[in-house]
Amino acid sequence: DKVKYSKQSWINRNRLDSEVPQRYFTLPLQRSSDFDSIDQKLISHSYDPKKILQVLKNMYRQSPNFEDTFPILENIFNYETQNLFEFLTNSINAICRELHIETTLINRSDIEIASFSSAEEMVINICKALDAEIYLNSIGGTKLYTHSKFESEGIALQFLELSTFSYLNSRGTT
């Protein structure tokens, strides 16, 4: 919640499976400072969940499990808030409930940490506040974090690289 919002990131957009490469949907945001944190960003008044839901319905209605999945998407996209962080938190919680994931999620604002001058220091301080022994980050973090800094604080730094997977899409292909 207290992390700086990054333009052109995956925070408010996602890629759709499509025959047209690089097709996305984006939650439009109100104009605001480039220095705002995620919890300060507001969804634009132009946001129309019906439009996104219609695109999803058109693309995926022939997909396996569509009838079970679409109501979850409707609940997510119709969630009434203008706050981006609240919207995202609701969507993560909805997916966790559906997948029976019971991991406790903690907001950055709920953790008292020492001052920091970089994102790496912030993460290290959060790990220390939570008595973490391991910090696991997506593979994209290799440019952000260094093993030696984490090790000097007694924290093992690991990067998660996902395996390629395929699934049957709405066209019956993988």
Side-chain angles (χ1 to χ4, degrees):
D1 58 344
K2 295 297 181 188
V3 176
K4 183 179 172 290
Y5 174 81
S6 300
K7 288 182 180 180
Q8 302 301 310
S9 67
W10 296 100
I11 297 169
N12 63 311
R13 72 178 176 146
N14 210 330
R15 187 177 334 204
L16 298 169
D17 174 36
S18 174
E19 291 177 7
V20 179
Q22 305 302 314
R23 184 161 182 198
Y24 302 93
F25 71 83
T26 302
L27 294 174
L29 301 179
Q30 293 181 21
R31 292 191 188 275
S32 63
S33 170
D34 288 345
F35 300 101
D36 283 350
S37 58
I38 295 171
D39 67 336
Q40 294 174 305
K41 291 294 187 182
L42 298 176
I43 297 170
S44 171
H45 296 291
S46 69
Y47 169 62
D48 184 356
K50 292 178 197 152
K51 287 182 181 178
I52 293 175
L53 288 166
Q54 191 59 50
V55 168
L56 293 170
K57 184 182 271 188
N58 290 342
M59 289 185 70
Y60 296 106
R61 75 173 123 226
Q62 300 301 316
S63 296
N65 304 311
F66 175 80
E67 296 299 324
D68 295 327
T69 305
F70 194 71
I72 300 163
L73 295 174
E74 287 178 309
N75 287 332
I76 289 171
F77 285 102
N78 286 317
Y79 184 69
E80 291 195 29
T81 184
Q82 277 198 277
N83 183 280
L84 177 62
F85 181 72
E86 291 172 8
F87 183 94
L88 298 174
T89 299
N90 176 68
S91 66
I92 292 167
N93 287 330
I95 298 299
C96 286
R97 279 191 304 274
E98 188 62 29
L99 297 176
H100 306 286
I101 296 172
E102 297 178 4
T103 302
T104 301
L105 303 176
I106 303 170
N107 295 329
R108 159 55 189 94
S109 61
D110 295 332
I111 304 169
E112 289 192 34
I113 61 172
S115 62
F116 54 89
S117 60
S118 69
E120 183 173 52
E121 284 184 27
M122 178 184 71
V123 170
I124 289 170
N125 288 340
I126 290 171
C127 288
K128 288 166 59 175
L130 297 175
D131 295 324
E133 296 174 3
I134 299 170
Y135 178 67
L136 180 62
N137 199 86
S138 67
I139 195 69
T142 56
K143 297 176 184 171
L144 302 173
Y145 307 123
T146 55
H147 287 277
S148 60
K149 286 187 181 176
F150 279 79
E151 287 172 7
S152 70
E153 298 291 342
I155 303 165
L157 173 62
Q158 297 178 3
F159 295 101
L160 179 65
E161 188 166 12
L162 299 176
S163 303
T164 303
F165 66 93
S166 61
Y167 62 93
L168 193 62
N169 63 21
S170 60
R171 297 177 304 283
T173 60
T174 57

XYZ file of all heavy atoms in Angstrom, residues 69-140:
576
model
N -16.071 -19.439 -13.172
C -15.107 -18.362 -12.962
C -15.694 -16.973 -13.188
O -15.351 -16.029 -12.466
C -13.890 -18.566 -13.890
O -13.352 -19.868 -13.660
C -12.827 -17.526 -13.647
N -16.570 -16.824 -14.146
C -17.050 -15.487 -14.498
C -17.742 -14.757 -13.341
O -17.515 -13.558 -13.158
C -17.948 -15.535 -15.746
C -18.171 -14.170 -16.329
C -17.143 -13.491 -16.978
C -19.399 -13.554 -16.217
C -17.326 -12.223 -17.505
C -19.606 -12.283 -16.742
C -18.563 -11.619 -17.389
N -18.551 -15.424 -12.523
C -19.149 -14.708 -11.377
C -18.108 -14.129 -10.418
O -18.322 -13.069 -9.832
C -20.004 -15.779 -10.687
C -20.315 -16.762 -11.765
C -19.101 -16.788 -12.651
N -16.982 -14.794 -10.281
C -15.903 -14.271 -9.430
C -15.366 -12.981 -10.045
O -15.157 -11.980 -9.350
C -14.776 -15.317 -9.277
C -15.327 -16.593 -8.645
C -13.616 -14.740 -8.470
C -14.438 -17.799 -8.805
N -15.160 -13.002 -11.364
C -14.682 -11.802 -12.056
C -15.697 -10.659 -11.952
O -15.316 -9.501 -11.779
C -14.387 -12.120 -13.519
C -13.246 -13.109 -13.761
C -13.145 -13.455 -15.245
C -11.939 -12.581 -13.220
N -16.967 -10.995 -12.053
C -17.998 -9.958 -11.911
C -17.909 -9.295 -10.541
O -17.985 -8.065 -10.428
C -19.393 -10.556 -12.128
C -19.681 -10.886 -13.571
C -21.053 -11.512 -13.741
O -21.373 -12.485 -13.014
O -21.803 -11.025 -14.614
N -17.747 -10.109 -9.501
C -17.628 -9.550 -8.149
C -16.386 -8.680 -8.012
O -16.425 -7.628 -7.371
C -17.617 -10.669 -7.099
C -18.982 -11.287 -6.912
O -20.001 -10.638 -7.126
N -19.010 -12.542 -6.526
N -15.302 -9.096 -8.619
C -14.059 -8.322 -8.545
C -14.216 -6.994 -9.271
O -13.942 -5.934 -8.713
C -12.875 -9.131 -9.119
C -12.506 -10.278 -8.168
C -11.673 -8.225 -9.393
C -11.504 -11.263 -8.734
N -14.632 -7.037 -10.519
C -14.675 -5.814 -11.319
C -15.806 -4.871 -10.919
O -15.729 -3.677 -11.190
C -14.729 -6.134 -12.815
C -13.399 -6.596 -13.346
C -13.157 -7.938 -13.581
C -12.383 -5.689 -13.575
C -11.927 -8.367 -14.049
C -11.146 -6.102 -14.043
C -10.919 -7.442 -14.276
N -16.832 -5.393 -10.280
C -17.936 -4.535 -9.827
C -17.751 -4.031 -8.395
O -18.634 -3.356 -7.860
C -19.270 -5.280 -9.938
C -19.730 -5.386 -11.373
O -19.650 -4.432 -12.137
N -20.195 -6.570 -11.758
N -16.632 -4.340 -7.785
C -16.371 -3.883 -6.417
C -16.394 -2.358 -6.383
O -15.739 -1.696 -7.186
C -15.010 -4.412 -5.944
C -14.693 -4.086 -4.513
C -15.403 -4.684 -3.479
C -13.687 -3.194 -4.191
C -15.109 -4.398 -2.148
C -13.378 -2.907 -2.868
C -14.088 -3.510 -1.857
O -13.796 -3.221 -0.540
N -17.168 -1.806 -5.482
C -17.377 -0.357 -5.471
C -16.394 0.363 -4.566
O -16.571 0.404 -3.354
C -18.817 -0.047 -5.070
C -19.786 -0.477 -6.145
C -21.168 0.113 -5.969
O -21.269 1.220 -5.397
O -22.126 -0.537 -6.390
N -15.362 0.877 -5.191
C -14.402 1.754 -4.543
C -13.681 2.518 -5.640
O -13.583 2.039 -6.764
C -13.370 0.989 -3.687
O -12.537 1.928 -3.014
C -12.507 0.075 -4.534
N -13.202 3.679 -5.311
C -12.374 4.415 -6.263
C -10.908 4.254 -5.922
O -10.046 4.564 -6.731
C -12.735 5.902 -6.261
C -13.934 6.200 -7.128
C -13.980 7.670 -7.430
O -14.472 8.450 -6.622
N -13.453 8.045 -8.570
N -10.614 3.738 -4.734
C -9.236 3.585 -4.293
C -8.615 2.345 -4.934
O -9.114 1.231 -4.761
C -9.190 3.489 -2.767
C -7.790 3.404 -2.250
O -7.182 2.345 -2.275
N -7.265 4.537 -1.798
N -7.520 2.553 -5.662
C -6.875 1.442 -6.366
C -6.425 0.353 -5.410
O -6.645 -0.833 -5.670
C -5.681 1.955 -7.180
C -4.869 0.890 -7.919
C -5.736 0.170 -8.957
C -3.642 1.517 -8.563
N -5.822 0.726 -4.286
C -5.336 -0.275 -3.342
C -6.488 -1.116 -2.781
O -6.372 -2.336 -2.680
C -4.545 0.374 -2.210
C -4.017 -0.621 -1.229
C -2.964 -1.453 -1.564
C -4.596 -0.756 0.023
C -2.490 -2.399 -0.670
C -4.126 -1.686 0.926
C -3.069 -2.511 0.576
N -7.589 -0.491 -2.444
C -8.755 -1.240 -1.946
C -9.277 -2.193 -3.015
O -9.652 -3.335 -2.717
C -9.853 -0.282 -1.515
C -9.532 0.517 -0.277
C -10.566 1.595 0.023
O -11.624 1.639 -0.648
O -10.316 2.401 0.935
N -9.312 -1.726 -4.261
C -9.774 -2.558 -5.367
C -8.868 -3.784 -5.523
O -9.335 -4.916 -5.638
C -9.801 -1.740 -6.662
C -10.340 -2.489 -7.840
C -11.681 -2.389 -8.182
C -9.527 -3.289 -8.616
C -12.198 -3.077 -9.276
C -10.021 -3.982 -9.709
C -11.359 -3.876 -10.039
N -7.562 -3.544 -5.510
C -6.600 -4.639 -5.681
C -6.641 -5.611 -4.509
O -6.582 -6.824 -4.697
C -5.187 -4.079 -5.860
C -4.972 -3.205 -7.090
C -3.576 -2.602 -7.074
C -5.223 -3.981 -8.369
N -6.763 -5.073 -3.298
C -6.848 -5.923 -2.112
C -8.077 -6.815 -2.185
O -8.005 -8.016 -1.898
C -6.881 -5.063 -0.829
O -5.670 -4.299 -0.766
C -7.000 -5.925 0.411
N -9.199 -6.252 -2.590
C -10.415 -7.040 -2.740
C -10.220 -8.154 -3.773
O -10.641 -9.289 -3.548
C -11.589 -6.153 -3.146
C -12.833 -6.964 -3.401
O -13.414 -7.534 -2.481
N -13.231 -7.051 -4.661
N -9.573 -7.846 -4.892
C -9.391 -8.864 -5.932
C -8.462 -9.982 -5.457
O -8.735 -11.163 -5.697
C -8.881 -8.240 -7.233
O -7.585 -7.721 -7.088
N -7.387 -9.624 -4.758
C -6.474 -10.649 -4.231
C -7.204 -11.524 -3.220
O -7.102 -12.758 -3.255
C -5.224 -9.996 -3.609
C -4.373 -9.355 -4.703
C -4.413 -11.026 -2.806
C -3.290 -8.431 -4.189
N -7.955 -10.902 -2.321
C -8.701 -11.674 -1.318
C -9.748 -12.586 -1.964
O -9.941 -13.720 -1.517
C -9.349 -10.742 -0.302
C -8.340 -10.140 0.650
O -7.311 -10.734 0.955
N -8.619 -8.936 1.120
N -10.413 -12.111 -3.014
C -11.421 -12.925 -3.705
C -10.774 -14.162 -4.336
O -11.318 -15.275 -4.231
C -12.138 -12.098 -4.766
N -9.639 -13.976 -4.973
C -8.938 -15.102 -5.601
C -8.420 -16.063 -4.527
O -8.530 -17.290 -4.673
C -7.785 -14.608 -6.501
C -8.307 -13.738 -7.643
C -6.961 -15.779 -7.022
C -9.267 -14.421 -8.590
N -7.873 -15.527 -3.452
C -7.401 -16.388 -2.357
C -8.538 -17.225 -1.785
O -8.374 -18.427 -1.544
C -6.741 -15.556 -1.260
S -5.109 -14.923 -1.698
N -9.698 -16.608 -1.569
C -10.857 -17.368 -1.069
C -11.215 -18.495 -2.032
O -11.448 -19.630 -1.609
C -12.067 -16.455 -0.870
C -12.062 -15.656 0.410
C -13.397 -14.971 0.670
N -13.834 -14.118 -0.420
C -13.474 -12.847 -0.578
N -12.658 -12.272 0.290
N -13.927 -12.135 -1.596
N -11.255 -18.178 -3.307
C -11.638 -19.182 -4.309
C -10.648 -20.339 -4.367
O -11.026 -21.488 -4.562
C -11.756 -18.508 -5.689
C -12.320 -19.387 -6.757
C -13.744 -19.870 -6.491
O -14.515 -19.170 -5.812
O -14.083 -20.972 -6.986
N -9.368 -20.033 -4.202
C -8.328 -21.062 -4.265
C -8.014 -21.673 -2.898
O -7.100 -22.482 -2.778
C -7.051 -20.469 -4.873
C -7.172 -19.978 -6.311
C -5.882 -19.319 -6.771
C -7.577 -21.109 -7.246
N -8.768 -21.264 -1.874
C -8.580 -21.757 -0.500
C -7.168 -21.486 0.010
O -6.570 -22.314 0.698
C -8.930 -23.245 -0.394
C -10.301 -23.561 -0.898
N -11.440 -23.230 -0.197
C -10.716 -24.128 -2.057
C -12.503 -23.598 -0.896
N -12.087 -24.139 -2.028
N -6.644 -20.316 -0.315
C -5.348 -19.868 0.198
C -5.614 -19.091 1.477
O -6.350 -18.104 1.457
C -4.613 -18.990 -0.840
C -4.295 -19.813 -2.095
C -3.356 -18.377 -0.240
C -3.757 -18.991 -3.251
N -5.041 -19.541 2.558
C -5.328 -18.942 3.858
C -4.163 -18.133 4.417
O -4.165 -17.777 5.594
C -5.761 -20.036 4.829
C -7.057 -20.713 4.375
C -7.494 -21.844 5.298
O -6.844 -22.064 6.343
O -8.492 -22.504 4.962
N -3.187 -17.811 3.591
C -2.044 -17.021 4.028
C -2.516 -15.641 4.479
O -3.321 -15.005 3.808
C -1.046 -16.858 2.862
O -0.637 -18.158 2.428
C 0.159 -16.037 3.269
N -2.016 -15.202 5.617
C -2.352 -13.872 6.119
C -1.596 -12.836 5.303
O -0.381 -12.929 5.141
C -1.972 -13.741 7.605
O -2.689 -14.739 8.336
C -2.313 -12.356 8.133
N -2.301 -11.862 4.780
C -1.684 -10.783 4.035
C -1.515 -9.587 4.955
O -2.426 -9.240 5.707
C -2.546 -10.410 2.827
C -2.838 -11.555 1.846
C -3.776 -11.079 0.738
C -1.566 -12.117 1.272
N -0.346 -8.953 4.888
C -0.036 -7.832 5.765
C 0.293 -6.619 4.909
O 1.080 -6.711 3.965
C 1.170 -8.152 6.675
C 0.908 -9.414 7.490
C 1.494 -6.975 7.583
C 2.128 -9.940 8.218
N -0.300 -5.493 5.227
C -0.008 -4.252 4.513
C 1.269 -3.630 5.052
O 1.546 -3.706 6.249
C -1.158 -3.255 4.659
C -2.416 -3.749 4.004
O -2.383 -4.466 3.020
N -3.541 -3.368 4.568
N 2.008 -3.006 4.198
C 3.238 -2.303 4.589
C 2.944 -1.285 5.705
O 3.721 -1.131 6.641
C 3.857 -1.653 3.364
C 4.811 -0.504 3.530
C 5.990 -0.781 4.444
N 6.680 0.457 4.675
C 6.469 1.267 5.716
N 5.567 0.979 6.618
N 7.164 2.367 5.866
N 1.811 -0.607 5.618
C 1.471 0.417 6.609
C 1.221 -0.159 7.997
O 1.227 0.578 8.985
C 0.250 1.213 6.151
O -0.863 0.357 6.006
N 1.028 -1.474 8.096
C 0.792 -2.118 9.385
C 2.084 -2.565 10.070
O 2.049 -3.129 11.158
C -0.131 -3.333 9.213
C -1.521 -2.936 8.760
O -1.947 -1.799 9.065
O -2.177 -3.759 8.097
N 3.217 -2.320 9.411
C 4.506 -2.767 9.933
C 5.345 -1.549 10.303
O 5.556 -0.664 9.479
C 5.265 -3.601 8.872
C 4.409 -4.785 8.409
C 6.603 -4.074 9.421
C 4.966 -5.478 7.193
N 5.798 -1.524 11.542
C 6.673 -0.432 11.960
C 8.099 -0.819 11.596
O 8.611 -1.847 12.051
C 6.553 -0.195 13.459
C 5.223 0.427 13.837
C 5.224 0.936 15.264
O 6.271 1.403 15.738
O 4.156 0.831 15.885
N 8.715 0.006 10.741
C 10.080 -0.291 10.319
C 10.954 0.952 10.476
O 10.460 2.078 10.517
C 10.138 -0.793 8.861
C 9.604 0.244 7.882
C 9.401 -2.119 8.710
C 9.810 -0.101 6.421
N 12.248 0.689 10.530
C 13.218 1.778 10.603
C 13.194 2.569 9.303
O 12.702 2.084 8.272
C 14.611 1.197 10.845
N 13.728 3.763 9.343
C 13.767 4.576 8.129
C 14.649 3.897 7.083
O 15.513 3.071 7.406
C 14.278 5.978 8.436
O 15.588 5.909 8.937
N 14.434 4.241 5.850
C 15.168 3.612 4.753
C 15.384 4.640 3.656
O 14.666 5.621 3.550
C 14.409 2.393 4.220
C 12.994 2.697 3.834
C 12.675 3.115 2.551
C 11.962 2.573 4.768
C 11.366 3.410 2.196
C 10.645 2.871 4.416
C 10.357 3.286 3.134
N 16.390 4.388 2.828
C 16.676 5.318 1.731
C 16.501 4.680 0.363
O 16.634 5.349 -0.649
C 18.102 5.875 1.867
O 19.031 4.809 1.819
N 16.204 3.383 0.341
C 16.000 2.709 -0.946
C 14.944 1.622 -0.772
O 14.635 1.205 0.354
C 17.305 2.079 -1.433
O 17.656 0.972 -0.604
N 14.429 1.146 -1.897
C 13.444 0.062 -1.861
C 14.061 -1.190 -1.242
O 13.403 -1.909 -0.483
C 12.930 -0.227 -3.265
N 15.323 -1.427 -1.546
C 16.003 -2.600 -0.996
C 16.079 -2.514 0.533
O 15.792 -3.490 1.227
C 17.397 -2.714 -1.595
C 18.145 -3.958 -1.133
C 19.460 -4.139 -1.866
O 20.257 -3.178 -1.909
O 19.666 -5.237 -2.381
N 16.426 -1.347 1.049
C 16.476 -1.169 2.508
C 15.092 -1.335 3.124
O 14.951 -1.886 4.215
C 17.038 0.209 2.864
C 18.535 0.313 2.712
C 19.053 1.669 3.159
O 18.411 2.320 4.012
O 20.112 2.069 2.646
N 14.055 -0.849 2.443
C 12.703 -0.997 2.952
C 12.358 -2.485 3.076
O 11.839 -2.930 4.104
C 11.679 -0.308 2.046
C 10.245 -0.491 2.535
S 8.987 0.197 1.444
C 9.058 -0.952 0.076
N 12.658 -3.261 2.040
C 12.348 -4.694 2.060
C 13.127 -5.389 3.177
O 12.572 -6.209 3.917
C 12.619 -5.335 0.681
C 12.534 -6.852 0.758
C 11.648 -4.798 -0.352
N 14.390 -5.063 3.307
C 15.204 -5.661 4.377
C 14.607 -5.317 5.739
O 14.475 -6.183 6.613
C 16.672 -5.209 4.259
C 17.314 -5.883 3.044
C 17.444 -5.525 5.545
C 18.693 -5.346 2.676
N 14.216 -4.060 5.934
C 13.632 -3.649 7.217
C 12.304 -4.342 7.478
O 11.996 -4.679 8.628
C 13.482 -2.134 7.276
C 14.813 -1.431 7.430
O 15.800 -2.024 7.850
N 14.858 -0.165 7.069
N 11.515 -4.561 6.454
C 10.261 -5.308 6.620
C 10.568 -6.748 7.020
O 9.951 -7.292 7.940
C 9.402 -5.252 5.333
C 8.838 -3.844 5.130
C 8.273 -6.290 5.389
C 8.167 -3.629 3.789
N 11.522 -7.362 6.341
C 11.913 -8.737 6.676
C 12.371 -8.827 8.130
O 11.987 -9.751 8.851
C 13.021 -9.220 5.745
S 12.493 -9.544 4.051
N 13.173 -7.867 8.560
C 13.661 -7.864 9.943
C 12.492 -7.680 10.921
O 12.442 -8.357 11.951
C 14.713 -6.773 10.116
C 16.031 -7.138 9.426
C 16.989 -5.982 9.283
C 17.402 -5.333 10.553
N 18.437 -4.298 10.350
N 11.563 -6.789 10.605
C 10.415 -6.553 11.484
C 9.551 -7.803 11.629
O 8.926 -8.014 12.663
C 9.580 -5.386 10.962
N 9.530 -8.617 10.593
C 8.715 -9.836 10.610
C 9.522 -11.084 10.976
O 9.019 -12.202 10.873
C 8.044 -10.028 9.241
C 7.064 -8.939 8.829
C 6.569 -9.172 7.410
C 5.898 -8.856 9.802
N 10.780 -10.891 11.355
C 11.683 -11.997 11.700
C 11.815 -13.005 10.561
O 11.887 -14.220 10.790
C 11.219 -12.713 12.990
C 11.304 -11.816 14.206
O 12.260 -11.008 14.282
O 10.410 -11.899 15.072
N 11.859 -12.503 9.347
C 11.979 -13.374 8.175
C 13.408 -13.869 8.022
O 14.363 -13.126 8.259
C 11.559 -12.627 6.916
N 13.541 -15.106 7.633
C 14.854 -15.680 7.359
C 15.122 -15.732 5.861
O 16.266 -15.827 5.437
C 14.944 -17.080 7.960
C 14.833 -17.075 9.478
C 14.780 -18.465 10.072
O 14.885 -19.457 9.309
O 14.634 -18.569 11.307
N 14.050 -15.709 5.070
C 14.155 -15.801 3.609
C 13.258 -14.737 2.996
O 12.132 -14.524 3.461
C 13.690 -17.196 3.105
C 14.558 -18.303 3.692
C 13.703 -17.253 1.574
C 14.010 -19.701 3.432
N 13.751 -14.069 1.960
C 12.929 -13.157 1.174
C 12.866 -13.714 -0.241
O 13.894 -13.893 -0.898
C 13.484 -11.731 1.160
C 12.644 -10.811 0.306
C 11.350 -10.479 0.684
C 13.124 -10.314 -0.906
C 10.557 -9.664 -0.095
C 12.337 -9.488 -1.695
C 11.058 -9.169 -1.293
O 10.266 -8.368 -2.085
N 11.667 -14.013 -0.699
C 11.439 -14.574 -2.021
C 10.793 -13.515 -2.894
O 9.760 -12.958 -2.535
C 10.519 -15.805 -1.912
C 10.168 -16.542 -3.176
C 11.400 -17.122 -3.844
C 9.165 -17.659 -2.873
N 11.404 -13.230 -4.027
C 10.924 -12.192 -4.937
C 10.834 -12.778 -6.341
O 11.500 -13.770 -6.657
C 11.903 -11.004 -4.929
C 11.279 -9.738 -5.467
O 10.638 -9.008 -4.729
N 11.455 -9.472 -6.745
N 10.038 -12.164 -7.180
C 9.976 -12.624 -8.572
C 11.328 -12.386 -9.242
O 12.140 -11.581 -8.787
C 8.871 -11.898 -9.341
O 9.218 -10.538 -9.472
N 11.569 -13.070 -10.323
C 12.855 -13.009 -11.017
C 13.192 -11.588 -11.478
O 14.365 -11.228 -11.593
C 12.891 -14.021 -12.201
C 14.319 -14.249 -12.700
C 11.961 -13.590 -13.322
C 15.191 -14.997 -11.734
N 12.188 -10.748 -11.671
C 12.429 -9.366 -12.071
C 13.178 -8.565 -11.020
O 13.778 -7.538 -11.317
